[in-house]
Amino acid sequence: MAHPAFRRVPHALGAVAVMLVASIMLAACTSQTGAERPPEPGDAAVAKVDGKTVWTSDVKREAVAQGLIGEGEPLDASSDLFRRVLDEVVDQKLLATEALKRKLDKDPIAQKRLAAARERILGDMLVESVVSDAVNDNAIRGLYQEQLKLAKQSEEIRARQIVVATQVDAEAIKKLLTTGASFEALAMERSTDAATRFNGGDLGYFTTDVMPEAYEANLKTAKTGEVVGPFAVDGGFAVVKVEDRRLEQPITLESARPQIVRFLTYDQVRDLLEKLRSRAKIQTLIRAPQDVPGQPKEPADAPKAAPAAPAAATPAPKAPPAKAAAK
């Protein structure tokens, strides 16, 4: 289960409910502080609801909460999306104002829900603060370089293939190639492999460990320019030409960045929660489940449940594997 600091309400009604309690708290604060000021530098007023200002940041925050844009992504105030979310924010403020008029915020249950919403918001703010300080470009580049050093570069092969139904047909293809026939032309004319036929049989660059065993066995020692086969494959017999061999190219920093950011974010939140738990006195007041005679039990080799850990929209990421960093 996701930690409250990373919990998000998945449906539109849930989002309205959370925004409603937040709006009630905001409305109460605004009525006490008097004049409104831009909540963020460069913020612009985009609407007023009964004299209370709706800011650009209010609309962007709601769009992020609904998953319509990512954190930090721009949202053009002239776009249809902005206007649609603005209408929703206005509706939420109207609902919150009406709830205050009806004194729903005084109800004990409402007080508990408001307090829970406040805790979620404060938890989110703490997490955002910790992550923004630690997950910076230097940290991302540092982990990327560390993974490159650990990565083992395999050899990549670029090859073309012609797949035909029988070994006799494949031998005939190979004989034509020895007389100077174009491999690409024969692939387009004779190959039965729909995935590669129309690009001249081009398989692109690959490492042999991701290919069927027959390819790995026949290509691992083949030299550049050599025609290999025929050998049996799914769908018939293949004749393969090795066009190039090179060391596997490492993944670029920009391609690796999202995975690295997820890992560093999880790492920071995990460390924060471990420190907070170590300093807090936590008592669990519910009993552990007891064995009931006749109740089915998990087999001894069943995987253990993962410990509760903070996660946003994705499971807790592992450190970027050295192998992956090299692809």
Side-chain angles (χ1 to χ4, degrees):
M1 182 180 292
H3 187 269
F6 268 65
R7 221 171 268 154
R8 291 289 181 271
V9 180
H11 304 295
L13 288 177
V16 169
V18 170
M19 191 65 181
L20 176 59
V21 292
S23 297
I24 289 173
M25 292 187 289
L26 179 61
C29 293
T30 303
S31 64
Q32 296 171 1
T33 55
E36 293 179 291
R37 297 179 180 178
E40 296 181 10
D43 226 344
V46 291
K48 280 188 176 290
V49 182
D50 292 333
K52 297 182 178 67
T53 305
V54 178
W55 303 94
T56 302
S57 59
D58 297 328
V59 181
K60 288 182 178 179
R61 193 177 301 110
E62 177 63 12
V64 170
Q66 293 188 29
L68 301 174
I69 61 172
E71 188 70 48
E73 287 184 20
L75 179 58
D76 187 352
S78 64
S79 67
D80 290 339
L81 176 60
F82 187 96
R83 292 180 179 277
R84 177 162 63 84
V85 179
L86 172 59
D87 284 341
E88 294 178 13
V89 172
V90 169
D91 289 344
Q92 290 160 359
K93 287 186 176 293
L94 291 172
L95 289 169
T97 302
E98 183 63 22
L100 287 172
K101 287 179 181 178
R102 299 185 186 192
K103 298 184 178 180
L104 296 181
D105 59 316
K106 306 301 182 183
D107 184 271
I109 295 177
Q111 291 287 337
K112 286 181 176 293
R113 291 172 65 180
L114 286 167
R118 181 176 183 273
E119 288 179 354
R120 282 196 293 271
I121 293 168
L122 288 173
D124 283 349
M125 292 176 68
L126 174 62
V127 167
E128 289 167 7
S129 173
V130 170
V131 168
S132 65
D133 288 342
V135 183
N136 52 47
D137 200 55
N138 286 338
I140 293 169
R141 288 181 179 277
L143 184 56
Y144 173 74
Q145 293 298 331
E146 183 180 323
Q147 291 301 307
L148 284 186
K149 291 177 183 177
L150 295 173
K152 294 180 179 179
Q153 287 181 283
S154 302
E155 188 178 46
E156 289 183 320
I157 297 174
R158 183 177 182 183
R160 293 181 184 271
Q161 71 171 1
I162 300 172
V163 180
V164 289
T166 67
Q167 186 169 1
V168 173
D169 292 338
E171 294 287 0
I173 293 287
K174 194 169 184 180
K175 187 173 182 180
L176 286 172
L177 291 171
T178 60
T179 64
S182 166
F183 196 101
E184 294 92 321
L186 285 175
M188 296 182 72
E189 292 171 9
R190 308 277 187 93
S191 183
T192 60
D193 182 60
T196 59
R197 175 182 177 183
F198 296 107
N199 63 359
D202 193 1
L203 291 166
Y205 281 97
F206 57 88
T207 54
T208 56
D209 60 330
V210 302
M211 298 293 283
E213 290 183 9
Y215 289 86
E216 184 173 14
N218 286 275
L219 298 180
K220 63 182 179 181
T221 59
K223 296 180 174 59
T224 300
E226 185 177 350
V227 175
V228 179
F231 53 87
V233 296
D234 288 343
F237 288 81
V239 176
V240 179
K241 180 181 179 182
V242 177
E243 299 215 323
D244 190 23
R245 302 185 79 109
R246 70 180 187 186
L247 285 178
E248 191 176 10
Q249 300 298 298
I251 188 172
T252 64
L253 174 60
E254 289 312 306
S255 297
R257 184 181 292 271
Q259 183 183 3
I260 293 173
V261 168
R262 285 196 300 272
F263 172 75
L264 291 174
T265 299
Y266 174 78
D267 201 42
Q268 288 298 316
V269 177
R270 182 197 60 196
D271 289 349
L272 173 62
L273 287 172
E274 286 179 355
K275 289 176 184 176
L276 294 176
R277 282 178 170 270
S278 69
R279 295 201 297 256
K281 183 178 180 181
I282 301 172
Q283 293 177 287
T284 302
L285 303 179
I286 57 175
R287 294 181 179 179
Q290 297 179 346
D291 290 337
V292 177
Q295 184 179 17
K297 294 183 179 180
E298 289 186 348
D301 59 348
K304 295 181 179 179
T314 56
K318 298 179 180 179
K323 179 72 175 175
K327 288 189 177 182

